[in-house]
Amino acid sequence: MDTLMLSRLQFAFATFIHFIFVPLTLGLSILVAYMETKYVRTGDETYKKMAKFWGKLFLINFALGVVTGITLEFQFGTNWSRYSTYVGDIFGSLLAIEATAAFFLESTFVAVWVFGWKKLSKTFHAVCIWIVAFAANLSALWIILANGFMQNPMGYVIRNGRAELDSFYAVITNGFAWSQYIHTVVGSYVLAGFFVMGVSAWHLLRKQNIDFFGKSFRIGLGFALVASLVVAIQGHSHGNEVARIQPAKLAAMEAHWETGTHVPMYLLSIPDEKNEKNSVEAFGIPSMLSILAFNDPAAEVKGLKAFAPEDRPPVTLTFLSFRLMVGFGTLMILLTVWGFLKRNNLLDNPRYLQFMVWAIPVPYLALQAGWAVAEVGRQPWIVHGLMRTKDAVSPIATSQVAVSLAAFVVVYLLLASLDIYLLAKYARKVPA
Amino acid sequence: MDLGTIWFILWGVLWAVYFILDGFDLGLGTLLPFLAKTEDEKRTFYNAMGPFWDGNEVWLITAGGVTFAAFPTTYAVMFSGLYSALMLLLFSLIIRGVCFEFRSKVESPGWKKLWDTCLFIGSFAPALLLGVAFANIFKGIPIDQDHIFQGTLFTLLNPYGLAGGILFVLLFAHHGALWLAIKSEGSLRERAFAMAAKLWPIMAGWIVLFLVYSMFATNLFSNYLRWPLLLAILLIPVGGLVLTKVYAAKARAWAAWAASAAVIGGTALFGVMGIFPALLPSSLSPAFSMTIENSSSSPLTLSIMLGVALVFVPVVIAYQIWNFRTFRHPVTKDDLDYEEAY
C-alpha cells in the first residue's frame, strides 16, 4: 500500500474511534445537565445521584473523546499537508475558532464541574455542566462547518494557487453544513438516549433501584423519541440537498446507474461495481427514488454512469453504509415508540427491556454508517469538486505512515477496550 | 505593524503560554516516580493537576490550530516534516490524558502502577520531544525549495536538538516542583522545595550552556545583533531565574512559580524572536525557509482570526484565572477523600 492509502486508512480509523466517544459526550452532557437542574429545582436527592451516576459514565467517555480528537487536528498537517496548504486559509481558521471559542470552555468547565461539587453553589454548579454541554455542541458545530466546506465548498476564491477566503459569512452559513450538523448532533442525542435506556433496562431487569433507573429510563426515552423522529424527518431534507449538491454520492447511496425520470427505489439490490449494474434488483417501488430525492415522481435522477469512472465514489461501501444507517434509524424509531407505549409499566415488559440492553450498540452503528456515507460518498474528492484526495496527501515516506498506523490500531484498540470495560463496570454499579 | 507580524507574535505567545501552563503538569508527571512515596502522595500529584491539565492542553491545540489558520503552509511543512516526532508526542499525550480518568477506577496495585508509569512516560516524553522540536526549529531543519523535509527522525536527534530536549525537561521539572509546593503540605511540600533547589543550579547552568551553544549552532542571535534593544527580552528569563531562586528560598511558592513561568515564557520568546520572520527556518538555504511572507493566510482570514482572538482569548484567560483561583488551595486529606478526587 502507498502513503495515500495508508493515510486514508489511518484517518478513517482515527475518526471512527474518535466518533465512538464524541456522540455520547454531545448527548449525555445535556441529559446530565437536565438531571442536575431537576435536582436544583426540586431538591430531590435522587436527581443529584442521577447526575453523579451518569456524569461518571460521561467523564470516562469524555477523556477518550478529548485525546483522540487532538490527533485528528494534527493529522491534517502530518498526513494531508497539501490539503492543509491548499485550503488552510478557510479550513484552518474554523479549527482554530473551535479551539478558542468552544474547546477551552468545555475543558475548563468540565474540570470545574468534577471538582466543584462542594466549592460552588448548587445553581452555579449546575450552570457549569450546562456550559460543558453547550460548549461540546458548539465544538461539534465548528468541526462540522469545516467538514461542510469539504462537502460543499462556499465562500472561497482560487488565488495564489490555493483556495482563499472570500466570504466568512458564506462559510459559516453553509446550509449543507448546518443540515449535516443537525443530522449529526440530533443523531448523537438518540445515541445518548439509547445509552441511558439500555443501562437502565439492565438494572430494571434485575430489579435494582427501580425508582432511580425507572426515572432515568423515562428521561432517556423522551429524549430519544423526539430526537429519533427529528433525525428521520430532517434526514429526508438532507437527502434532498445531497441529491442537488452531490448527485454522484446520491447515486452511489442508491446504487443507481442509469440516469432517468420516474426512478424506482429497490428494497433489495446488490451492486456489481465492475459491470456497472446491479446483479439483483427486486421489490421496486415506482418513482420512489425520484420522490425521495426531489419530492417529485417525474424528477430526473442522475445515474452513476453519468459520471466518469474516476469521478465516482466507491459504490458498494456507500450503498451498504446508507442501507445500514437507514435500517438502524428505522429500528430506533420503532424501539422508542414501543417504549413510549409501555413507559408506565416497563417492569411488566422484560422482553422490551432486554431488547433495549441489546440495542445500546445500534445508534453507534447508525452514526458510524452515516459518517461513512458522508465521507466515502464524497470520494474521490477531499473537497468536493475542488481537490482530489490523491492530491492532498503529504510527501512523506510510506514506512512512516505504516508505523504510525500500526501504533494507532494497537493503542486505540487497547484504550477503547479499557474504556468499554470501565463504562460497563461503572454502569453495573447500583447507586444507593 | 502588519497583520502577518501581529500573528507571528501571537503565535509565539501562544506557544509560550502553552509551555508555561502545561509545563508544570508535564514536570509534575516527570517527577512522580522520584518524589511521591506513598499512595496518598501519588494521589496528591494527580489531584494537584486535576482541575487544570485539560484546560492547559487546549493551549497546545490552539497553538496548533493557529499555526494552521494563520500560517497554513508552515503548518503543513512543519507537521509533515516532523511526522515521526509528532506522532510520538501525540501518543505520549494520549496515554497521559487517560491516566487521570482511568487510574482511580480499578482498585488494584498493578493497575495503578500501570497508569503511574504511563503518566511518567506521557509527561517526560512530551517535554523532551517539544524541546527537541523547538531546538531544531531554532537551528533550522532541512527543507528544500519545494518545502519538502529532507531528513528523518534521526536528523532531529542531533546534539543541539537533544540539548534543547534536556533544557525543556529541566525547565518543566523545576516548574512542576514549584507547582507541587503550591498544591501540597507538610513533608511533601518540603521535598518539593528541596527538589526545586536541587534542580535550580543544573537548570541555570544548562540555560547558560544552551545560550552559548546557540551562538555557534544557530542564527538566533542575528536579529538581536541587528536590533540590540531586543536583547531586553533576555531580562525576562534571566530575571525570572534569579527571582525563582530567591522566592523558593523564602518558601514563597506562588511567587517562585510565577518567576519560573517567566523563565519558560522568556526562553520561548527569545527563541521565537530569534527566528523572526521565519517560522520554520531551512538549514539548507535561508531562501527555502517558511516565513510570514510565504506561508501566511490571506489578509481577510488574518483579520477575522484577529477579531476572534481579541474577543475570545481574554474571556478564556479570565475563566482560566478564575479556575486557578478556585482550586488554588493545597490538596489536603479532605480533598483526597472527596468522592470525585482522582
Side-chain angles (χ1 to χ4, degrees):
Chain A
M1 270 194 277
D2 55 2
T3 301
L4 171 66
M5 198 58 208
L6 290 169
S7 288
R8 287 179 66 182
L9 282 176
Q10 179 169 305
F11 199 84
F13 180 74
T15 317
F16 183 88
I17 299 284
H18 179 58
F19 215 67
I20 292 177
F21 309 113
V22 171
L24 187 61
T25 316
L26 295 175
L28 198 53
S29 57
I30 296 178
L31 288 176
V32 171
Y34 171 77
M35 290 163 184
E36 195 176 342
T37 309
K38 270 209 108 146
Y39 160 65
V40 173
R41 298 182 66 150
T42 63
D44 184 346
E45 289 284 326
T46 309
Y47 288 106
K48 181 178 180 182
K49 282 182 196 145
M50 269 183 178
K52 288 206 166 183
F53 177 84
W54 298 107
K56 182 153 259 148
L57 298 177
F58 164 74
L59 290 169
I60 292 171
N61 180 79
F62 179 82
L64 267 289
V66 170
V67 294
T68 53
I70 300 175
T71 58
L72 285 179
E73 175 187 345
F74 290 120
Q75 269 188 61
F76 290 109
T78 51
N79 296 72
W80 305 101
S81 65
R82 293 205 170 103
Y83 168 78
S84 300
T85 304
Y86 194 69
V87 298
D89 202 53
I90 299 150
F91 192 85
S93 54
L94 295 170
L95 293 197
I97 294 173
E98 187 264 340
T100 333
F103 196 41
F104 263 127
L105 201 60
E106 186 179 2
S107 300
T108 309
F109 279 89
V110 84
V112 174
W113 187 74
V114 173
F115 289 92
W117 280 98
K118 286 182 183 159
K119 297 222 182 310
L120 309 173
S121 75
K122 268 200 223 171
T123 311
F124 190 66
H125 191 264
V127 169
C128 287
I129 189 75
W130 277 114
I131 294 177
V132 172
F134 167 75
N137 284 274
L138 182 64
S139 175
L141 174 64
W142 288 108
I143 296 301
I144 294 181
L145 283 175
N147 184 268
F149 180 80
M150 301 165 87
Q151 304 284 352
N152 180 32
M154 310 262 280
Y156 68 96
V157 283
I158 302 294
R159 201 160 44 207
N160 304 321
R162 59 180 181 154
E164 288 195 351
L165 185 64
D166 181 49
S167 162
F168 187 65
Y169 182 78
V171 171
I172 62 171
T173 54
N174 184 345
F176 191 89
W178 276 90
S179 161
Q180 257 194 314
Y181 171 69
I182 295 168
H183 199 62
T184 312
V185 290
V186 183
S188 304
Y189 301 162
V190 182
L191 179 141
F194 268 70
F195 182 82
V196 170
M197 285 193 281
V199 171
S200 301
W202 190 87
H203 287 279
L204 290 174
L205 281 168
R206 284 159 186 74
K207 309 264 188 291
Q208 291 163 343
N209 205 340
I210 290 166
D211 175 55
F212 182 96
F213 287 109
K215 279 180 181 155
S216 295
F217 190 97
R218 278 185 290 273
I219 292 175
L221 175 66
F223 196 55
L225 178 66
V226 177
S228 62
L229 293 171
V230 172
V231 175
I233 297 164
Q234 194 267 340
H236 168 68
S237 75
H238 186 52
N240 293 161
E241 289 168 301
V242 173
R244 197 158 41 80
I245 292 163
Q246 301 181 321
K249 181 190 274 182
L250 181 89
M253 281 156 68
E254 295 290 350
H256 167 55
W257 296 95
E258 307 283 349
T259 305
T261 58
H262 299 279
V263 182
M265 189 179 92
Y266 296 98
L267 292 180
L268 177 70
S269 28
I270 299 174
D272 177 359
E273 247 176 295
K274 208 175 277 164
N275 297 311
E276 303 194 326
K277 66 181 183 64
N278 293 333
S279 51
V280 176
E281 265 178 4
F283 310 114
I285 309 173
S287 301
M288 196 59 197
L289 184 54
S290 293
I291 296 174
L292 282 177
F294 297 102
N295 297 324
D296 170 10
E300 182 187 88
V301 183
K302 269 197 180 163
L304 284 158
K305 284 187 185 170
F307 303 91
E310 68 272 17
D311 291 342
R312 293 177 201 162
V315 179
T316 311
L317 192 50
T318 313
F319 172 83
L320 285 177
S321 304
F322 181 64
R323 291 273 160 316
L324 285 175
M325 177 183 80
V326 173
F328 286 135
T330 313
L331 178 61
M332 292 188 291
I333 294 176
L334 294 176
L335 286 172
T336 46
V337 171
W338 183 4
F340 182 72
L341 298 174
K342 303 288 178 193
R343 68 190 179 283
N344 292 322
N345 44 355
L346 286 169
L347 289 177
D348 304 334
N349 291 283
R351 177 169 296 172
Y352 172 67
L353 291 177
Q354 194 62 58
F355 268 124
M356 291 313 289
V357 177
W358 290 334
I360 294 176
V362 170
Y364 283 92
L365 295 169
L367 276 160
Q368 297 286 1
W371 271 112
V373 175
E375 299 294 273
V376 176
R378 192 192 59 231
Q379 302 302 326
W381 303 101
I382 192 165
V383 183
H384 187 246
L386 198 61
M387 184 184 213
R388 283 174 195 271
T389 310
K390 68 177 168 56
D391 300 323
V393 74
S394 298
I396 47 174
T398 307
S399 58
Q400 281 186 314
V401 192
V403 172
S404 67
L405 175 58
F408 267 108
V409 172
V410 172
V411 173
Y412 272 28
L413 287 184
L414 266 173
L415 289 178
S417 345
L418 284 176
D419 185 76
I420 292 167
Y421 162 73
L422 289 178
L423 281 175
K425 175 180 153 102
Y426 279 85
R428 283 198 178 94
K429 296 212 173 209
V430 184
Chain B
M1 210 185 302
D2 67 294
L3 275 169
T5 309
I6 294 174
W7 271 107
F8 182 89
I9 294 169
L10 282 175
W11 176 77
V13 169
L14 277 174
W15 282 108
V17 173
Y18 169 68
F19 294 145
I20 290 170
L21 289 181
D22 216 18
F24 75 75
D25 292 338
L26 298 173
L28 267 181
T30 308
L31 292 176
L32 179 81
F34 308 104
L35 274 179
K37 305 282 175 232
T38 63
E39 170 65 11
D40 272 359
E41 288 181 358
K42 285 178 190 157
R43 292 188 56 221
T44 304
F45 268 70
Y46 281 87
N47 288 290
M49 297 179 253
F52 315 109
W53 77 272
D54 196 3
N56 294 344
E57 197 166 280
V58 182
W59 287 93
L60 172 69
I61 306 188
T62 309
V66 158
T67 316
F68 197 172
F71 304 102
T73 318
T74 294
Y75 172 81
V77 175
M78 187 186 286
F79 285 60
S80 61
L82 307 179
Y83 190 93
S84 297
L86 241 150
M87 286 294 163
L88 281 172
L89 174 68
L90 288 177
F91 284 111
S92 316
L93 290 174
I94 286 173
I95 60 167
R96 173 183 75 146
V98 294
C99 289
F100 294 90
E101 206 47 63
F102 281 9
R103 185 184 189 271
S104 60
K105 294 290 184 289
V106 177
E107 275 310 320
S108 129
W111 174 268
K112 297 198 159 157
K113 179 95 191 109
L114 169 71
W115 296 112
D116 289 343
T117 311
C118 284
L119 185 73
F120 170 72
I121 298 170
S123 303
F124 173 77
L128 185 75
L129 290 164
L130 286 165
V132 170
F134 271 80
N136 274 289
I137 291 172
F138 295 159
K139 188 167 93 62
I141 64 170
I143 38 179
D144 64 18
Q145 64 270 38
D146 297 319
H147 299 153
I148 292 172
F149 176 66
Q150 301 292 344
T152 65
L153 181 60
F154 300 101
T155 318
L156 305 176
L157 298 177
N158 54 66
Y160 183 73
L162 288 170
I166 295 168
L167 176 73
F168 272 44
V169 171
L170 287 170
L171 285 172
F172 290 178
H174 175 259
H175 200 45
L178 291 172
W179 184 257
L180 184 63
I182 291 172
K183 291 291 286 178
S184 62
E185 296 179 323
S187 82
L188 188 57
R189 181 178 152 92
E190 282 165 29
R191 269 180 283 145
F193 272 126
M195 178 57 86
K198 202 157 48 169
L199 285 170
W200 191 89
I202 309 174
M203 173 180 75
W206 200 265
I207 291 177
V208 173
L209 203 77
F210 188 76
L211 275 177
V212 175
Y213 196 171
S214 300
M215 281 188 206
F216 298 103
T218 74
N219 293 320
L220 276 187
F221 286 87
S222 59
N223 278 340
Y224 293 91
L225 293 176
R226 195 177 326 153
W227 300 294
L229 267 182
L230 273 182
L231 278 170
I233 291 178
L234 271 182
L235 291 177
I236 306 172
V238 172
L241 206 53
V242 175
L243 287 176
T244 187
K245 173 93 178 150
V246 172
Y247 289 132
K250 290 186 190 158
R252 290 182 57 190
W254 272 105
W257 180 84
S260 156
V263 180
I264 295 174
T267 308
L269 285 182
F270 175 76
V272 169
M273 286 323 218
I275 56 176
F276 176 89
L279 293 99
L280 196 58
S282 167
S283 58
L284 302 179
S285 156
F288 307 156
S289 295
M290 303 308 304
T291 62
I292 296 176
E293 202 187 345
N294 69 15
S295 85
S296 70
S297 280
S298 65
L300 180 61
T301 294
L302 290 180
S303 50
I304 287 173
M305 288 303 297
L306 190 60
V308 170
L310 287 176
V311 172
F312 284 102
V313 172
V315 178
V316 171
I317 292 172
Y319 61 66
Q320 289 211 336
I321 289 177
W322 169 79
N323 181 32
F324 275 82
R325 285 183 57 87
T326 309
F327 299 103
R328 66 183 180 275
H329 54 83
V331 178
T332 61
K333 184 84 185 100
D334 216 27
D335 291 309
L336 292 183
D337 293 340
Y338 176 58
E339 56 200 316
E340 309 298 332
Y342 291 135

